[in-house]
Amino acid sequence: LVATYYALLAVCAVRALLKPALIASLIACAVVAYYIGHYNVVFDAAMMSNVLHTDAHEAIELIDAGLLATVLLAGIIPSLFVMLASVRLRSWQHALAARAGTTVIALIVAICALLSVFQTVAPLVRNRHEIRHLLTPLNLFSAAARSLRTGLSSATTPVDPPVMVSRDVMTNTGR
């Protein structure tokens, strides 16, 4: 999974935007991971729409010590390491070659990792399409893109009936 995210990030990495994008992603993913774990929810387009329509009073009610600790440990501290990392200035040809090489290596690692667990994971993914809403940061980015594409008001209307993810988790499987 990490290798796949690296390959996706390497394709669109721009030197000036790389660190801010990584830091924003780390902090946003820490928040999303906290709410997924604490409230047993999934993060899909409907949830993104709810987040975007939440007012300040509702948002303040959802902030607690657990959220702050999670954001500190999973968002702020890793962000400090990203800030301290140095990014070498290279010619665009050298940067393109290095990025292409590391992307190919990351994809090979991802494919090998997938093949090693394919028999176990394939039935789960095939039978439980809603599991994609638990993969942070992929769920965050796909929910944001879907909310923007479909419009904020229509994202709150479920397309399909809710599907049971676990005893406490419900999701809409709208495509």
Side-chain angles (χ1 to χ4, degrees), residues 149-173:
R149 186 175 59 243
T150 61
L152 297 177
S153 61
S154 63
T156 59
T157 306
V159 177
D160 292 335
V163 173
M164 182 70 74
V165 176
S166 75
R167 286 185 307 131
D168 300 331
V169 180
M170 298 290 282
T171 182
N172 297 320
T173 59

Side-chain angles (χ1 to χ4, degrees), residues 108-122:
I108 291 170
V109 168
I111 290 168
C112 291
L114 180 63
L115 290 175
S116 70
V117 296
F118 186 77
Q119 287 183 333
T120 306
V121 174

Side-chain angles (χ1 to χ4, degrees), residues 12-88:
C12 58
V14 177
R15 186 176 191 270
L17 300 176
L18 185 59
K19 283 186 180 185
L22 286 173
I23 290 168
S25 179
L26 284 168
I27 293 171
C29 289
V31 172
V32 169
Y34 173 76
Y35 287 118
I36 287 173
H38 188 71
Y39 292 108
N40 294 323
V41 297
V42 293
F43 202 85
D44 58 2
M47 181 63 78
M48 176 62 85
S49 180
N50 289 337
V51 168
L52 295 174
H53 284 101
T54 300
D55 64 12
H57 180 69
E58 290 173 325
I60 289 171
E61 291 176 359
L62 294 172
I63 298 173
D64 60 10
L67 173 65
L68 297 176
T70 301
V71 170
L72 176 67
L73 295 174
I76 303 293
I77 292 175
S79 294
L80 292 174
F81 287 108
V82 169
M83 286 174 42
L84 295 174
S86 63
V87 178
R88 285 185 262 165

